[in-house]
Amino acid sequence: GLIAYTAYIGQMLFDQNTRLLRTRNALRKSEEQFRYIAEHAGDYVAVLDPALRFRYASNSHARHFRPDAYAPGAHWLDLVHPDDRDQARHYLELITSSGAAARERVHLRMISAADGWQVLEFQGNAVRDEGERVQMVVLILRDVGARVRTDIERQLELPVQAASPPAAKDGASAWRG
């Protein structure tokens, strides 16, 4: 009787501790996801399903994209420039195949409401269930077009050193023009 009672109490405590541990882990993951989104509240936040269709897009998307482009069910890759889609797919596969958020930031051209291209920097994080299956992908996008244009302008302003013709060994010009 006493051994059975002790075994029952031990099993009950084990089950309770297991549930507590699962709850703590779920809370920790939830907190990480909330922090990931909250830290980027001023940026474009997109929540995609595993097939990369929009579930949610923050109001900031209205600044650059047509409303139907990010409506629920619209495919996220349709906004990406065709030449950048392979890079975007590869990066999203990295996000969904690894267990952690990708820290690397990738620049992509994305179609704007005026049918032009906007340069955005993005990074993402996969949200997983208890079985580690991807339930959704959270993307944080930041408009870096102004920064990219400034970098290009700075590079164009750098003085270009004129190429001088090579000197011959006797001091005469070896340039034959």
Side-chain angles (χ1 to χ4, degrees), residues 1-2 9 15 24-25 36 45 118 145 149 173:
L2 183 58
I9 296 294
D15 291 344
R24 269 192 203 149
N25 286 337
Y36 185 75
V45 177
Q118 187 72 25
R149 282 189 294 279
S173 176

Side-chain angles (χ1 to χ4, degrees), residues 58-135:
S58 63
N59 291 336
S60 55
H61 281 73
R63 289 193 301 243
H64 292 289
F65 304 111
R66 294 184 322 271
D68 62 325
Y70 59 88
H75 203 279
W76 183 78
L77 284 173
D78 290 344
L79 286 175
V80 178
H81 189 284
D83 292 342
D84 293 348
R85 286 185 185 153
D86 286 339
Q87 178 186 12
R89 259 190 221 97
H90 174 74
Y91 185 75
L92 290 168
E93 287 170 6
L94 176 70
I95 291 169
T96 56
S97 67
S98 69
R103 300 294 174 217
E104 180 183 351
R105 294 177 182 196
V106 175
H107 291 149
L108 296 174
R109 291 168 290 176
M110 300 186 77
I111 192 165
S112 67
D115 290 330
W117 297 102
Q118 187 72 25
V119 179
L120 296 175
E121 174 182 82
F122 87 102
Q123 67 185 123
N125 191 11
V127 178
R128 300 171 187 281
D129 63 12
E130 297 82 24
E132 291 300 309
R133 292 178 301 269
V134 174
Q135 296 300 304

